[in-house]
Amino acid sequence: MDFGSYVRQLREQRREINRRYSIRQTAQRIGIEPAHLSKIERGDVPSPSEETIRRLAADLGEDVDVLLALAGKVSSDICEAITQRPILFAELIRGLSDVPDADLMALVCKVRNGEW
């Protein structure tokens, strides 16, 4: 699923429960024009900036990294970390690309908990 379709699906799911998720009200809360949000959802314009995606993720209750990935973007803090040690992070990501999700999650938990 592409970024715009996913955003539209999320917004419409929330609108079924709460009318404040109309395209107009959502756009107003995240600081863009309703017509622009409509174009984003239809895929008529490129994905918005990282900051707009962050506001959209917060408004829709979605993980910002999921929306950034769907938009073909990477969070600026992750880019900064990779830029500081590009060879190491490239090797790490390539090496972990085929690891099963359960094993990868176990590794993530160890890193988060300082058990590394």
Side-chain angles (χ1 to χ4, degrees):
M1 179 174 285
D2 65 39
F3 176 78
S5 299
Y6 187 76
V7 166
R8 183 178 191 156
Q9 180 182 26
L10 281 176
R11 185 184 58 73
E12 288 181 347
Q13 285 173 350
R14 279 144 184 80
R15 195 177 95 212
E16 289 176 8
I17 298 166
N18 186 334
R19 301 296 292 166
R20 68 184 280 262
Y21 286 99
S22 69
I23 200 160
R24 181 175 302 283
Q25 290 177 334
T26 301
Q28 183 178 19
R29 284 192 303 276
I30 67 169
I32 64 174
E33 292 294 320
H36 188 64
L37 179 55
S38 178
K39 289 176 184 177
I40 290 168
E41 289 184 351
R42 291 191 319 265
D44 292 345
V45 295
S47 302
S49 68
E50 179 181 346
E51 186 55 39
T52 299
I53 291 172
R54 287 185 176 283
R55 290 191 306 266
L56 189 56
D59 189 66
L60 296 176
E62 179 59 271
D63 186 292
V64 67
D65 290 317
V66 170
L67 290 187
L68 286 169
L70 286 170
K73 299 177 186 247
V74 177
S75 180
S76 56
D77 64 325
I78 294 172
C79 283
E80 185 177 319
I82 292 170
T83 302
Q84 291 174 4
R85 297 185 272 181
I87 295 170
L88 292 174
F89 278 106
E91 286 291 324
L92 178 64
I93 292 167
R94 285 186 185 109
L96 294 173
S97 66
D98 293 330
V99 173
D101 286 354
D103 294 342
L104 194 54
M105 189 52 147
L107 178 61
V108 168
C109 288
K110 284 182 179 182
V111 171
R112 273 192 198 142
N113 295 333
E115 299 170 10
W116 189 245

